[in-house]
Each structure stands twice: as C-alpha cells, then as structure tokens.
Amino acid sequence: GQEVTCMALHPDGETVASAQLGEGGVVSIWSTCDMGLRSSIDPGHSTGVGCVAFSPAGARLVTVGLDQYHSIAVWEWRTGVKVASAFGSEQKISSIAFALGEDAFATCGVRHVKFWTCAQPPEGGPAILVGRKGALPRAVTHVVCAQWTAAGLLTGALDGCLDQWMDGASQRRVEAHEGAVQDLCRCPLSTEDGVISAGQDGTIKVWRAGEHVKILLLKTIDLSKLCLAQGLVAKGDPVA
C-alpha cells in the first residue's frame, strides 16, 4: 500500500480518516472499535493527499491535495459525493480548521492563511467554494497549525508564536514556544474556550482564548522533565 500522509479524528471519537501519498491514493474512513472500513473516497488529487479534516457535526470531510495548486475538496464522506472544490494555494498547506458550523473553514501553510466558505449560489446549482486570503504578519513565513474557537481562529507558527484572528487579520500575537508550534487542539474550560498548544521545545501549554480577551497562559507541562521523572528517558537524551 501507499504511505499514509495524514489522519483526522471524527467528532464521535470513534471514526478516523486516513489518506495516502501518490496518484490513486484514497481516503479511507475507519471505525476504531472494530477497524472496519466505513467508507472510501477517491479524491482525485494527482499526487496524494496532504491534509484531511472532519466538520464539527461530522457530516463533511475536507481533503487537500499535494498537487501544484494544493486543490481542496469538500465531501459528504458517507456517500462519497463531492460537494465543492477549488484551487487552494501554490504554497504548501499544512492544516485545516473548521469553524463552528459545517460550511466554513480555514487553511494555513507557507506564507498564508485562507478563509473558505462553501456556499449555494442564489440562482441554484452546485455549491461553490470561495476563499479569502487573511492578512498575515510580515514576519510569519509558515503557519503550521490552526484551531477554531468561539472567539475565532487561532494559529500556531514556525516562529513559536500564536496568532488570534479577527475579521480576517491577525489581531494579537503571543510568544508561546521556543521553536515551532507543532499542533493546536481545543480544551473546553468551565466558562470559556481553552486551547492546548504543543511545541517543538518539548512543552505542552494550556491557554484561555475566550471572546474579547487576550490569549492567557494557564499552565505549562514540560515533557522532558516529566519523562525524566518517570524514567522514560535518560538525562540529556532528547524527548522526541
């Protein structure tokens, strides 16, 4: 089989999508309970799939190709029906983050963040995928990961900073990690949204990212110290 390039977890916590490298690479949707294949999609991306993501309600799946234009497609994954598609970017796309609904998401990667809406034309006919480029800070060369919260989009960059987005532009920057921010995920708090960031520096950090408030660091977990304390690595050895 072909090399697996990416995976995404369904909101039900039991279904996983995996995608492949190379021409003819398929997207397979699995049950983690019995490893049964629930659906299979041939996305038609010429050189393979680089990113996949489920929508919040789980009905749709977005795929991003590894072709020259990093083409994007939105699918009803249970039936394999393509809802809409568009050219993504000539620059590499690293991550997809759905908004809180089914029809809007963001992509990010090398020198760009782009906001997408899957809309039905007023005159009827097939849905269209419309993208709008975000205003990226000049210093940012690569946006590695993204996560949507109730307050809007949060992205993590190669320079170790988090960006909080409003109205299509980065409004706040916070130095989060020494080295790249590798991943972001939501972590609901008692009163508002929380986000966890994972850094190249071997730390995991918990942030408050509520509406109309600045990003606030709540907790830092140093994995190198944790692993050392548990005897999982020897002193001086890298964590990864």
Side-chain angles (χ1 to χ4, degrees), residues 55-56 60 97-106 115-118 129 148:
S55 62
R60 290 181 171 180
F98 260 94
L100 304 184
E102 296 290 286
D103 297 321
F105 59 91
F115 297 86
W116 297 89
T117 303
C118 189
L129 193 57
W148 218 292

Side-chain angles (χ1 to χ4, degrees), residues 115-195:
F115 297 86
W116 297 89
T117 303
C118 189
Q120 203 74 33
E123 63 275 12
I128 57 174
L129 193 57
V130 179
R132 176 173 55 91
K133 200 167 184 180
L136 198 67
R138 289 186 179 181
V140 178
T141 60
H142 190 172
V143 182
V144 180
C145 50
Q147 179 65 58
W148 218 292
T149 73
L153 185 67
L154 194 68
T155 59
L158 190 67
D159 63 3
C161 289
L162 296 179
D163 286 272
Q164 195 169 22
W165 292 74
M166 285 171 279
D167 300 322
S170 171
Q171 300 292 337
R172 299 178 182 133
R173 298 211 86 205
V174 175
E175 293 182 5
H177 294 274
E178 295 179 11
V181 182
Q182 303 278 46
D183 206 358
L184 292 168
C185 68
R186 289 185 72 186
C187 171
L189 303 175
S190 58
T191 57
E192 55 197 348
D193 269 2
V195 173

Side-chain angles (χ1 to χ4, degrees), residues 210-231:
E211 195 171 3
H212 305 306
V213 297
K214 293 182 179 180
I215 308 168
L216 177 66
L217 179 62
L218 301 179
K219 187 174 183 179
T220 299
I221 301 170
D222 190 329
L223 293 183
S224 62
K225 292 180 180 178
L226 183 62
C227 292
L228 186 62
Q230 296 294 326

